[in-house]
Amino acid sequence: MSMFDYDARPVTPLLVLVGDTASRDAYAIRDFLSRNGYPFEWVDAGRPDAVRAVMGVTDLDLSALPLCILPDGSRLSAATVAQVAAGLGMVAAPARPEYDLMIAGAGPAGLAAAVNAASEGLRTVMVEAVAPGGQAGTTSMIENYLGFPNGISGSELATRAVVQARRFGAELLLARPLTGVRSDGPGYVAELADGTLIRGRAVLFASGVEWRRLDVPGVDDLLGAGVYYGAGPSEALACTDSQVVVVGGGNSAGQAVVRFSRYAKQVTLLIRGRDLGASMSQYLIDQVSAIPNAEVREQTQVVGLEADDRLRAVIVRSGDAAEPVRLPADALFICIGGAPRTDGAAGTGLVTNTAGYLVTGSDAAREPGSNWPLPREPLPLETNLPGVFAAGDVRCGSVKRCSAAIGEGSMAVALVHRRLAEAGGD
Amino acid sequence: MVASPDAAVAAEFTGLASDERIANTAAALERNGIRPLLAATAADARRLVSSLLPDGAEVYNNTSQTLESIGVADDIERSGRYQPLRLRLYRMDREMQQREMRTLAASPDYVVGSVHALTEGGSLLIASASGSQLGPLVSGAGQVILIIGAQKIVPDVAAGMRRIYEYCYPLEDARARRAYGVPSGVNNILIINKAVAPGRVTAIIVNERLGF
């Protein structure tokens, strides 16, 4: 590490996480901390020197892993994400008994809505299960977002947006998934996984999508042990000199290739389609094509995995090839498609399309099971429940781009105002 | 390895300035456009810094024995009141976010640090091996807050340079070898004689030996 690196290092004690590199629980904590921008030191339990340097001993109680040493010196054995979040003071209670707008999800759409809503005087709260930024927050560089000619990393965009939203008084409740929303008079009550209740006069679902599961035997067993959903921002350094495979044809997959190619020996991108043009932005296609240690394999799918305690190879089949091919792989990042994240909407009566995306606007009133109650049609981003809106990737028909999500989140606020005025007491 | 400062050098550069010298130095700073504040103790200095930093401010705390010893580094990085830039920089991807790191480090809203020497004529001397912390002090940062133990007051710039080379450098070299595993070096020296932007630089002179 250079002296400049030390100038960029906190002088107060860092959180230390000790664990097995193949541990799913350890990965979950690394991912949580990275995505929340919380600096930490990772210690591989399989490296005695590193363990001794931090703990003063080399023998570890394996049942205590992952072990988290908080900055105040306290220790969490067999730590979970929830415990780490609580230990860091990241689990806050809502400050108000009622909000004008409750936003499910703090990705680009949710953050944009929060900034605009709070800046216009609405009592605003965001609830976010993992970390601000959503899928965009894990992207190493967004180069086509307005106003950033040199690009901006997803993490920086998220960090700035959170600061901005908080500056206007919006709250962010982290680390607890939304488990349900029910109507309560003219408004709604949302419940979080820890039982926290939040009252909102209006609700915005900006919960985005989660990565589609790769239907290959063994994937679930290897999660965190070489197999990761998403672009794995916490794993870049660990991929130094590694063989990395990325699956997916969208911008997130492309950015993952760009990022990991800086660290890995070789990055192989697998896409099912004939070329990258179907879903990847041209500037990213150009970048990926120019990377000397990156290779794109078209019409290729993962058909199997080879592993011992962690991933060792990915078995792929291309086009009409009769025989599968074995690709040595230390890490596999799965960035395919997206399934709308609507867990908190279950049981609310919200209508979705067949793929599970929330239907909004005039379509929402016409969907089977809609029960739209008002003489007017739903507003453009409004669902079939008056005062419940959707924006960004979770919404049926949205353009799946960061810029579009931000636009919808911003736009939703004007519609929230109209609804609040209609319901009385805007 | 650089030899530790000998007893004579240590005696010359560790003695606390008298109240009169402190007052004269403060007056000189003021003439030079640098706002002087006086703190009787380290704890007072810490409270002063807290009163000068608004909640939510973007703050970079320079690498400084003074800041660490009096708890200001802790306040900045862990109180939750500010946006501590060291924490933000540390978790950035050095391959993909180089430009963002440079921009962030170069122009914080507030930089808090110390100096290696403060002359009775109101000049500030700061040495740096990497130089990365000097740009914000000169012009990049919106506001500069310096906490200066009164043992750092010297007669003039020449004495300040001697303080850097003969006293601070050996101590800093030893610290760098322990902390980084590499030697330090008087690679860059910044001398601030006057602050042109009114109200930008604040120097808190503390009547205690703080730092090197």
Side-chain angles (χ1 to χ4, degrees):
Chain A
M1 195 178 285
S2 73
M3 199 165 289
F4 177 75
D5 289 321
Y6 275 94
D7 287 340
R9 180 188 173 102
V11 298
T12 51
L14 286 172
L15 179 151
V16 176
L17 182 65
V18 184
D20 190 323
T21 55
S23 161
R24 179 194 301 221
D25 294 334
Y27 169 67
I29 297 173
R30 287 201 305 273
D31 185 57
F32 174 78
L33 292 171
S34 289
R35 292 176 61 187
N36 276 287
Y38 203 95
F40 66 97
E41 190 177 340
W42 163 249
V43 178
D44 180 353
R47 294 182 53 207
D49 287 349
V51 172
R52 186 189 306 114
V54 167
M55 314 265 311
V57 297
T58 53
D59 292 331
L60 288 173
D61 175 6
L62 297 181
S63 69
L65 300 181
L67 173 68
C68 179
I69 306 173
L70 296 174
D72 65 5
S74 58
R75 297 184 173 200
L76 301 170
S77 295
T80 64
V81 169
Q83 290 171 336
V84 171
L88 293 174
M90 295 168 80
V91 183
R96 299 176 187 269
E98 184 186 63
Y99 295 86
D100 296 312
L101 178 62
M102 197 220 53
I103 302 168
L111 286 166
V115 167
N116 282 275
S119 69
E120 292 173 12
L122 294 181
R123 298 165 300 170
T124 306
V125 63
M126 292 174 279
V127 297
E128 168 53 57
V130 180
Q135 198 177 98
T138 65
T139 299
S140 57
M141 191 57 65
I142 302 169
E143 296 192 51
N144 56 358
Y145 184 58
L146 187 71
F148 294 93
N150 293 296
I152 182 166
S153 66
S155 59
E156 262 301 282
L157 186 61
T159 297
R160 294 181 190 197
V162 169
V163 170
Q164 192 176 16
R166 282 179 166 151
R167 217 183 107 227
F168 289 122
E171 290 174 49
L172 173 58
L173 304 182
L174 271 175
R176 286 153 292 175
L178 176 71
T179 53
V181 174
R182 64 176 190 275
S183 58
D184 181 51
Y188 297 88
V189 172
E191 183 167 358
L192 306 185
D194 65 352
T196 300
L197 296 178
I198 305 166
R199 285 194 151 62
R201 298 173 61 216
V203 177
L204 173 67
F205 274 92
S207 37
V209 296
E210 55 192 356
W211 299 108
R212 186 159 289 123
R213 304 289 106 177
L214 184 67
D215 187 17
V216 168
V219 163
D220 286 348
D221 295 333
L222 290 170
L223 282 177
V227 175
Y228 311 93
Y229 279 101
S234 62
E235 306 308 294
L237 203 57
C239 286
T240 302
D241 292 331
S242 296
Q243 301 283 349
V244 170
V245 175
V246 179
V247 178
N251 282 1
S252 292
Q255 279 296 349
V257 172
V258 173
R259 188 213 314 257
F260 288 114
S261 67
R262 302 286 188 99
Y263 295 89
K265 184 181 297 182
Q266 176 71 25
V267 181
T268 305
L269 175 63
L270 309 178
I271 62 169
R272 283 195 308 176
R274 291 183 179 279
D275 58 61
L276 293 174
S279 50
M280 194 178 289
S281 295
Q282 187 60 47
Y283 79 88
L284 208 38
I285 294 172
D286 295 341
Q287 284 183 25
V288 168
S289 303
I291 297 173
N293 63 329
E295 172 199 12
V296 181
R297 294 196 179 201
E298 296 91 350
Q299 297 182 276
T300 301
Q301 297 187 64
V302 177
V303 296
L305 303 174
E306 189 181 293
D308 39 43
D309 63 331
R310 60 171 299 124
L311 181 71
R312 299 300 173 194
V314 174
I315 314 302
V316 303
R317 180 174 277 120
S318 297
D320 296 328
E323 294 299 319
V325 171
R326 177 183 183 276
L327 294 181
D330 302 296
L332 171 66
F333 295 93
I334 304 167
C335 304
I336 53 175
R341 194 179 284 122
T342 50
D343 300 351
T348 58
L350 285 168
V351 293
T352 65
N353 70 353
T354 52
Y357 292 88
L358 294 175
V359 180
T360 59
S362 54
D363 290 342
R366 289 191 276 274
E367 280 289 318
S370 166
N371 299 317
W372 173 252
L374 302 180
R376 67 162 173 85
E377 286 208 320
L379 300 169
L381 298 181
E382 194 172 28
T383 66
N384 62 304
L385 296 182
V388 179
F389 298 82
D393 285 4
V394 75
R395 192 181 73 82
C396 174
S398 68
V399 173
K400 307 299 187 248
R401 286 285 187 264
C402 182
S403 311
I406 289 170
E408 287 196 1
S410 307
M411 176 181 157
V413 173
L415 305 171
V416 167
H417 275 296
R418 285 169 62 178
R419 168 57 189 168
L420 294 181
E422 172 187 69
D426 187 12
Chain B
M1 178 78 88
V2 182
S4 299
D6 64 29
V9 167
E12 181 183 0
F13 293 122
T14 59
L16 273 182
S18 67
D19 290 349
E20 185 181 0
R21 279 182 80 203
I22 291 173
N24 290 340
T25 303
L29 284 168
E30 189 134 38
R31 287 193 297 274
N32 292 344
I34 297 167
R35 177 171 67 150
L37 296 175
L38 302 184
T41 65
D44 289 339
R46 186 179 182 181
R47 276 190 288 273
L48 265 176
V49 173
S50 179
S51 72
L52 293 172
L53 292 175
D55 285 356
E58 205 177 67
V59 184
Y60 183 86
N61 48 306
N62 279 356
T63 307
S64 163
Q65 296 294 290
T66 299
L67 264 62
E68 290 179 46
S69 68
I70 73 173
V72 167
D74 239 51
D75 292 342
I76 292 169
E77 292 188 4
R78 295 179 52 187
S79 69
R81 283 185 59 197
Y82 314 112
Q83 296 179 58
L85 292 187
R86 274 185 179 264
L87 272 70
R88 202 156 136 194
L89 287 165
Y90 186 65
R91 52 105 168 150
M92 284 178 153
D93 185 327
R94 278 146 183 73
E95 287 291 328
M96 300 300 296
Q97 293 179 275
Q98 271 187 26
R99 193 175 188 281
E100 287 175 347
M101 293 179 72
R102 272 194 293 112
T103 328
L104 202 60
S107 56
D109 288 338
Y110 288 81
V111 63
V112 183
S114 184
V115 303
H116 291 107
L118 165 60
T119 75
E120 291 175 38
S123 292
L124 304 159
L125 286 85
I126 306 109
S128 170
S130 71
S132 65
Q133 297 174 118
L134 299 184
L137 291 173
V138 177
S139 65
Q143 292 283 316
V144 177
I145 301 171
L146 301 166
I147 307 160
I148 308 169
Q151 87 281 10
K152 297 182 180 181
I153 293 178
V154 296
D156 50 36
V157 170
M161 295 291 270
R162 281 201 309 109
R163 190 174 196 279
I164 286 173
Y165 278 96
E166 295 176 22
Y167 180 70
C168 300
Y169 168 48
L171 298 176
E172 173 57 25
D173 183 66
R175 187 198 72 81
R177 287 174 191 270
R178 282 193 308 271
Y180 316 140
V182 294
S184 186
V186 186
N187 300 326
N188 305 272
I189 300 176
L190 171 65
I191 303 175
I192 300 176
N193 291 320
K194 280 188 188 302
V196 176
R200 180 176 172 271
V201 182
T202 298
I204 304 172
I205 304 175
V206 189
N207 203 355
E208 284 188 21
R209 280 180 202 81
L210 301 176
F212 290 153

